[in-house]
Amino acid sequence: MDIKITEELDNLLKDNGIKKEEIQEIIDNAESNGSKLEAIDGDLCIAKGCTDNLTMYAVYSPSELVDVYAHKMSILGLTGGELHDVEYDDSSDWKCVKCDEIALERNVDMTYMGVTRPGPGLVCPKCNEFYVSDGVAKTLKTAESILEEKRA
Amino acid sequence: METIKNITSLCPECLAKIEGSKYVEDGKVYIMKKCPDHGVFITLVSNDADHYNLMEECFDVDRAGAKSSLTDVERGCPFDCGLCPSHKQDTCLAVVEVTDRCNMKCTYCFANSSMDDSLDPDMDTIRKMFETVKKCQNDPTCIQISGGEPTLRNDLPEIIKMGKDIGIDHIELNTNGIRISKDQDYFDKITSAGIDAVYLGFDGVSDDIYKQRTGRELLEVKKEVIKRCERAGIGVVLVPLVAKDYNLHEVGKIIDFAAERVPAVRGVHFQPVFYSGRSPSERENKVTILDLLEAIEEQTDGQLKVSNFTPSLMPHAHCGATCLTLIDNGGFLPLTNVSLGAVKSASDVASKTKKSIMGRWKGLEKEKESKPSCGDLLVKSSCCEKPLSDITVKGSCCEKPVTDVLPKSKPDMSGWADFIEMSKNNYLTISTMAFQDVWSYEQDRAENCCIHVVTRDGRFIPFCNYNMTSCNGDFLYRDAA
């Protein structure tokens, strides 16, 4: 699928240090193997791709790229380990396409430069793939700069 | 016995320049040196050669020389200080002693003291000292007003104001706090004159400690000073002298005390006892950096580990170790760790240290005022150089929010969002500094020193050289200067 990238999104890609080809590849992979989240009541999808030190996300509609964001932290896994039942409604508005399961809003442990903290993630209960939203990614980005500043 | 390197040092008896070596024996690091007239001297440097080596591996700084040298090379280091052209490092902090007088009679002090106010430098002399700083130190200029006890001078507000008028960017005050705790009027004048931070002698959290060294109960005095500084928006750094049979058992409590008072208290700067100046002749109370870090680990129940302390951005891996920690609901969340490898410095060590002194150690209110001098320094080019409070989440109004549709029921957002909040205000710098005495002296460290005492005749002398004293009490520089 050849996706349209507006000038605004192109700038956002540059801000995040992501190449157009990289984001295209992430989307192509997601489209071919179904490793993506799809909005339950819409046509938006979230696909994810990782390099050694960056996790990138593409949010896109069938016609165009809607959002991109990234974090340097690594996601270690669910906070507390196993996926236990919770008492509140933790179902999200997103579905894992590959597993046809509603993704759950759960805390995941993320680690960067020696500090590990929980943060909200979207987790497929079947394949255990983790995603974060752009809002959370902004928080993570700030935390990353703080940790980097500490080392400087 | 394995030799690490050959060193040039000084004879503890006669202060002559002598040769020696640093070596490892039974896993410990020692300095051995030999004076033709006074024999062999052996000093323990570290109880753990592995830790010693690790600190060296984690240390990687660029340096820049001073803007101008003031003396020539004649007899060689450390006898030509001023600085001489062979000194390798610009000043990060210039110490300006405005009096030798002191209102305490500590059993131990690296400085001299007398009660004769006719010996105080006059305003013209101090002006020259400030001007020397402007001339030799690369911008921004950063000084500590010290003594003696500077607050014994009634004209201290005028001195501070003169420094600011001359264009010194950061002025911190080294004090025992006694006058500040009693004389609000005087303190108001100091703050209006433009003091940026208070460097408060603070040896413990119990009066037993203060009585041992000073014969007085001072804990309430210290608490009052911190309160007054907090109200005035002046950052406080607690400065404990640490010795074995004195307060080594209280270092954890000192850190807890500081953590409870963050952000008014910005840091704790531990200074293990060193045998220069008015000092006991026996050395059993000596504490190495590693002894201190191990005590901190034990007394904070392992929350702050030895491995959380990385070499300070000082001129030498063994001049000190620093840990930066967030205060997380009364506990500690250290941000530094030796396992993260060498700290790569983008700029030279003096400007880094100045940034640290000016940014982390000054008062919060002052930061908010965004004074041009310090503000400019901190917000230079990259986001990494901004003060913490300036790193904010990028405005999202123009970005398409996926967040609109999530989350419905809120998972705990506290983890990293809290982390950011804590980083703005709730952090504490815990540093240790191993000053050199005549026993531990390595010329290599002195040549790279960035803390310089300004003499009344307008020279810069590396702090450890300035206070260097033979075991007979003779100063290398202090008396002559």
Side-chain angles (χ1 to χ4, degrees):
Chain A
M1 132 181 210
D2 215 10
I3 197 143
K4 185 184 155 200
I5 298 176
T6 61
E7 195 184 330
E8 186 192 341
L9 260 295
D10 193 37
N11 289 335
L12 195 55
L13 280 171
K14 282 178 191 146
D15 288 350
N16 281 285
I18 304 171
K19 292 191 193 106
K20 268 188 193 173
E21 303 78 59
E22 281 177 313
I23 217 73
Q24 184 67 54
E25 192 185 332
I26 288 167
I27 293 170
D28 288 346
N29 282 342
E31 290 300 312
S32 67
N33 63 21
S35 290
K36 61 173 183 174
L37 294 180
E38 191 175 74
I40 291 168
D41 56 356
D43 54 6
L44 283 183
C45 287
I46 304 178
K48 176 175 105 164
C50 302
T51 62
D52 284 349
N53 46 22
L54 199 64
T55 306
M56 298 166 282
Y57 298 84
V59 181
Y60 57 100
S61 71
S63 59
E64 67 174 335
L65 188 62
V66 174
D67 194 11
V68 285
Y69 51 90
H71 55 79
K72 296 184 200 166
M73 294 193 187
S74 358
I75 299 181
L76 294 177
L78 280 166
T79 303
E82 301 290 302
L83 191 72
H84 299 294
D85 287 340
V86 290
E87 292 189 352
Y88 61 89
D89 176 13
D90 64 345
S91 55
S92 73
D93 297 323
W94 300 86
K95 179 180 78 173
C96 172
V97 173
K98 190 169 70 182
C99 308
D100 197 25
E101 290 273 351
I102 301 289
L104 305 178
E105 291 170 359
R106 291 299 183 92
N107 272 342
V108 291
D109 282 338
M110 305 181 209
T111 189
Y112 189 58
M113 298 183 90
V115 176
T116 302
R117 311 273 293 177
L122 294 166
V123 186
C124 169
K126 198 166 170 192
C127 67
N128 278 334
E129 194 63 67
F130 306 102
Y131 297 82
V132 305
S133 70
D134 71 337
V136 173
K138 275 183 201 120
T139 306
L140 298 185
K141 196 170 185 174
T142 307
E144 285 161 3
S145 356
I146 290 168
L147 285 166
E148 285 159 10
E149 194 267 351
K150 298 302 181 195
R151 302 292 328 283
Chain B
M1 180 173 133
E2 171 204 345
T3 302
I4 299 177
K5 68 190 265 197
N6 293 325
I7 61 161
T8 303
S9 186
L10 294 172
C11 171
E13 289 277 346
C14 65
L15 295 179
K17 191 151 141 172
I18 57 175
E19 300 301 316
S21 65
K22 209 155 51 172
Y23 64 94
V24 178
E25 192 170 80
D26 297 331
K28 297 179 179 184
V29 183
Y30 297 88
I31 282 176
M32 179 169 60
K33 52 194 176 181
K34 190 174 179 186
C35 173
D37 297 328
H38 301 102
V40 174
F41 302 90
I42 295 176
T43 303
L44 174 74
V45 180
S46 172
N47 281 315
D48 183 349
D50 291 340
H51 180 262
Y52 193 83
N53 292 332
L54 183 64
M55 294 302 266
E56 242 162 60
E57 285 163 24
C58 284
F59 185 74
D60 180 14
V61 298
D62 299 330
R63 17 185 118 260
K67 210 152 76 177
S68 65
S69 57
L70 295 168
T71 49
D72 297 324
V73 176
E74 283 174 16
R75 297 172 59 203
C77 188
F79 304 113
D80 303 318
C81 291
L83 301 168
C84 83
S86 74
H87 197 77
K88 294 169 184 155
Q89 180 58 54
D90 179 31
T91 310
C92 61
L93 183 69
V95 179
V96 176
E97 295 184 348
V98 296
T99 181
D100 282 340
R101 289 178 291 143
C102 187
N103 49 2
M104 291 208 293
K105 293 193 179 88
C106 296
T107 48
Y108 170 77
C109 184
F110 58 77
N112 264 340
S113 64
S114 69
M115 280 314 285
D116 184 353
D117 63 4
S118 70
L119 298 176
D120 285 356
D122 59 21
M123 288 299 265
D124 278 346
T125 306
I126 296 172
R127 172 183 292 279
K128 276 183 202 133
M129 292 159 92
F130 287 157
E131 283 167 353
T132 305
V133 175
K134 280 304 280 182
K135 181 175 155 195
C136 296
Q137 187 179 20
N138 289 307
D139 283 335
T141 40
C142 213
I143 68 165
Q144 179 180 93
I145 292 185
S146 186
E149 172 52 44
T151 60
L152 290 192
R153 285 190 72 135
N154 290 326
D155 59 357
L156 183 61
E158 287 77 37
I159 292 173
I160 293 164
K161 185 166 182 312
M162 181 169 74
K164 286 285 170 180
D165 289 346
I166 285 174
I168 306 288
D169 295 296
H170 175 95
I171 301 182
E172 62 185 37
L173 176 66
N174 186 343
T175 178
N176 57 33
I178 291 173
R179 181 153 185 193
I180 291 177
S181 74
K182 287 192 294 207
D183 191 343
Q184 182 69 45
D185 255 12
Y186 182 76
F187 182 55
D188 289 344
K189 284 181 192 152
I190 291 174
T191 54
S192 322
I195 199 79
D196 292 288
V198 165
Y199 200 74
L200 181 66
F202 190 94
D203 288 358
V205 294
S206 58
D207 276 322
D208 289 350
I209 299 279
Y210 293 104
K211 280 172 97 169
Q212 268 189 62
R213 184 173 168 204
T214 69
R216 298 172 66 163
E217 296 182 352
L218 288 173
L219 186 60
E220 286 311 313
V221 164
K222 308 291 181 185
K223 286 182 177 169
E224 184 60 29
V225 172
I226 296 167
K227 267 188 217 156
R228 291 185 179 196
C229 286
E230 185 173 18
R231 283 200 294 268
I234 305 284
V236 182
V237 178
L238 306 182
V239 189
L241 168 123
V242 186
K244 242 173 213 163
D245 290 334
Y246 176 47
N247 60 353
L248 186 62
H249 62 282
E250 258 196 37
V251 292
K253 285 185 186 158
I254 293 172
I255 293 172
D256 286 339
F257 177 95
E260 283 162 22
R261 286 160 180 82
V262 164
V265 172
R266 310 306 298 273
V268 184
H269 190 56
F270 289 106
Q271 301 185 337
V273 64
F274 62 111
Y275 293 103
S276 291
R278 193 165 70 239
S279 62
S281 54
E282 89 286 355
R283 290 185 288 141
E284 291 100 58
N285 267 322
K286 181 123 185 156
V287 176
T288 64
I289 291 288
L290 183 60
D291 295 335
L292 176 54
L293 302 188
E294 283 171 345
I296 290 173
E297 174 163 339
E298 191 190 325
Q299 293 170 35
T300 59
D301 296 325
Q303 289 189 75
L304 299 175
K305 296 188 169 55
V306 172
S307 57
N308 291 123
F309 287 80
T310 56
S312 305
L313 282 173
M314 295 302 294
H316 194 283
H318 304 300
C319 288
T322 301
C323 166
L324 196 68
T325 179
L326 299 183
I327 313 300
D328 185 7
N329 287 323
F332 298 102
L333 179 65
L335 299 175
T336 41
N337 196 308
V338 282
S339 68
L340 295 167
V343 174
K344 295 284 177 196
S345 59
S347 56
D348 80 279
V349 60
S351 45
K352 290 227 152 218
T353 306
K354 281 190 282 196
K355 199 176 83 176
S356 172
I357 293 169
M358 296 169 73
R360 292 186 184 142
W361 286 5
K362 69 189 300 191
L364 275 180
E365 291 307 311
K366 290 242 166 193
E367 273 175 36
K368 283 180 200 151
E369 281 172 24
S370 70
K371 291 184 135 191
S373 52
C374 304
D376 289 349
L377 169 81
L378 290 164
V379 195
K380 259 193 311 204
S381 49
S382 72
C383 66
C384 297
E385 289 181 324
K386 288 182 187 174
L388 288 172
S389 50
D390 280 7
I391 302 176
T392 49
V393 180
K394 200 173 147 197
S396 60
C397 55
C398 58
E399 293 168 35
K400 299 188 183 173
V402 176
T403 32
D404 279 0
V405 288
L406 56 87
K408 268 188 318 199
S409 54
K410 282 196 174 161
D412 180 15
M413 202 33 213
S414 69
W416 288 101
D418 255 18
F419 172 89
I420 294 164
E421 277 309 306
M422 278 190 280
S423 307
K424 290 180 189 165
N425 291 326
N426 283 352
Y427 60 94
L428 187 67
T429 306
I430 301 163
S431 48
T432 63
M433 184 168 287
F435 290 112
Q436 297 200 86
D437 54 30
V438 76
W439 306 96
S440 62
Y441 187 80
E442 291 176 60
Q443 184 183 308
D444 175 39
R445 282 177 61 184
E447 277 175 329
N448 288 304
C449 179
C450 77
I451 299 177
H452 301 146
V453 179
V454 187
T455 61
R456 294 182 192 185
D457 61 359
R459 284 177 298 145
F460 270 28
I461 301 183
F463 184 90
C464 295
N465 285 357
Y466 186 72
N467 292 300
M468 189 60 59
T469 319
S470 77
C471 60
N472 305 313
D474 299 321
F475 280 106
L476 180 63
Y477 278 104
R478 188 178 269 280
D479 277 349

